[in-house]
Amino acid sequence: MSAPGYAGLCAVVVAGWLALYRVPFNDPARRRRTALRLAGRTGQSPDVAYAVFGTVLYLALGALALTALLAATPLSLDQLVGRPTPATALALLLAVLGTSSANILCVSLLYRANPRVDVPGEIARVQWIASILALPRHYRWIIPAAAALFEELLFRGAVLLGLGALGSGFGVALAVSTCLFAAGQVALVSTPVQAYVLGTSSVTLGVVGGLLTAATGGILPALALHMSFAGFYTHLSASAGARATTPRRLSL
């Protein structure tokens, strides 16, 4: 397969993954009915039952998307992961500092434009984060980390490295993987503030994670970076309190 054809396939697969995950449950009444049915079968509260269901669905669809893309490239799963070296830790530290600074700058610009905006409250109302907050506290790192793993395998692994293996230039591969990643994150939000915060964060993570992947030959540093920020946003949302999360808890 040619690099342009593979880029098109990546866009179709990512769009299908997100559509199958979100579209069937966009209707609040359908989500509520599903949550109640799951609660009746599992004995868990509707919030927890639906959050577990949504997580399993997202990861299962992500695994199918990853399998479909890897089948179209000469890469194996081991080649995506790579092997860390002593220099990897230094590269990761610099990446964390750079990504944090860029995200702080973007949020500062938002506050300058609208000093009354409630960023933690807005993030707490993001559908997938609201669902995670319905789970017991010890799952609030595990679930974001699992989602980050599949997203890094797909976007920095199958898309970025896959395009490179098929002859695409690095700049094109980085642009495609970052745009698909950011679009996927923005597709799961519902307000302009959410779109701005997660969109700018995703672009930063996509670019820095792509550079890390190219520099180290695998996704492990980008995965560590992504996991840290996914956990940060989840715990930032938890700090916003029940006032922000309770009205939308059954959203996914």
Side-chain angles (χ1 to χ4, degrees):
M1 177 178 288
S2 68
Y6 183 68
L9 176 64
C10 290
V12 170
V13 168
V14 170
W17 172 22
L18 297 175
L20 289 172
Y21 168 66
R22 177 156 186 175
V23 171
F25 302 100
N26 261 347
D27 178 38
R30 185 181 297 125
R31 289 199 300 270
R32 184 66 184 174
R33 289 194 299 270
T34 302
L36 291 173
R37 283 197 294 268
L38 291 169
R41 293 182 180 182
T42 63
Q44 300 291 329
S45 71
D47 286 340
V48 171
Y50 193 84
V52 172
F53 164 75
T55 299
V56 171
L57 178 64
Y58 185 76
L59 297 180
L61 292 172
L64 290 176
L66 176 63
T67 301
L69 292 183
L70 284 181
T73 74
L75 297 174
S76 68
L77 194 60
D78 288 342
Q79 289 173 298
L80 301 187
V81 174
R83 300 190 180 188
T85 66
T88 300
L90 176 60
L92 178 58
L93 175 61
L94 294 174
V96 170
L97 293 175
T99 306
S100 300
S101 299
N103 287 339
I104 291 170
L105 173 62
C106 291
V107 173
S108 297
L109 292 174
L110 177 61
Y111 276 121
R112 180 175 290 274
N114 182 6
R116 301 177 66 180
V117 69
D118 178 16
V119 171
E122 286 283 344
I123 298 303
R125 288 187 287 273
V126 174
Q127 294 177 351
W128 67 267
I129 293 178
S131 295
I132 291 173
L133 295 180
L135 295 169
R137 185 177 299 274
H138 55 279
Y139 286 107
R140 295 178 187 174
W141 281 107
I142 296 173
I143 300 303
L149 171 62
F150 276 87
E151 289 169 357
E152 287 304 313
L153 284 170
L154 199 148
F155 293 107
R156 252 61 65 192
V159 178
L160 178 69
L161 296 179
L163 281 169
L166 292 171
S168 172
F170 173 71
V172 172
L174 180 63
V176 171
S177 63
T178 300
C179 288
L180 288 178
F181 175 59
Q185 297 300 309
V186 172
L188 299 178
V189 304
S190 55
T191 72
V193 173
Q194 293 171 3
Y196 173 83
V197 174
L198 290 189
T200 55
S201 297
S202 298
V203 169
T204 303
L205 278 174
V207 171
V208 176
L211 293 172
L212 272 175
T213 300
T216 61
I219 68 163
L220 287 179
L223 173 60
L225 178 68
H226 192 160
M227 284 181 173
S228 67
F229 277 88
F232 167 76
Y233 277 118
T234 301
H235 284 73
L236 174 69
S237 303
S239 70
R243 176 182 59 82
T245 62
T246 299
R248 298 286 295 276
R249 280 185 118 182
L250 283 178
S251 301
L252 252 195

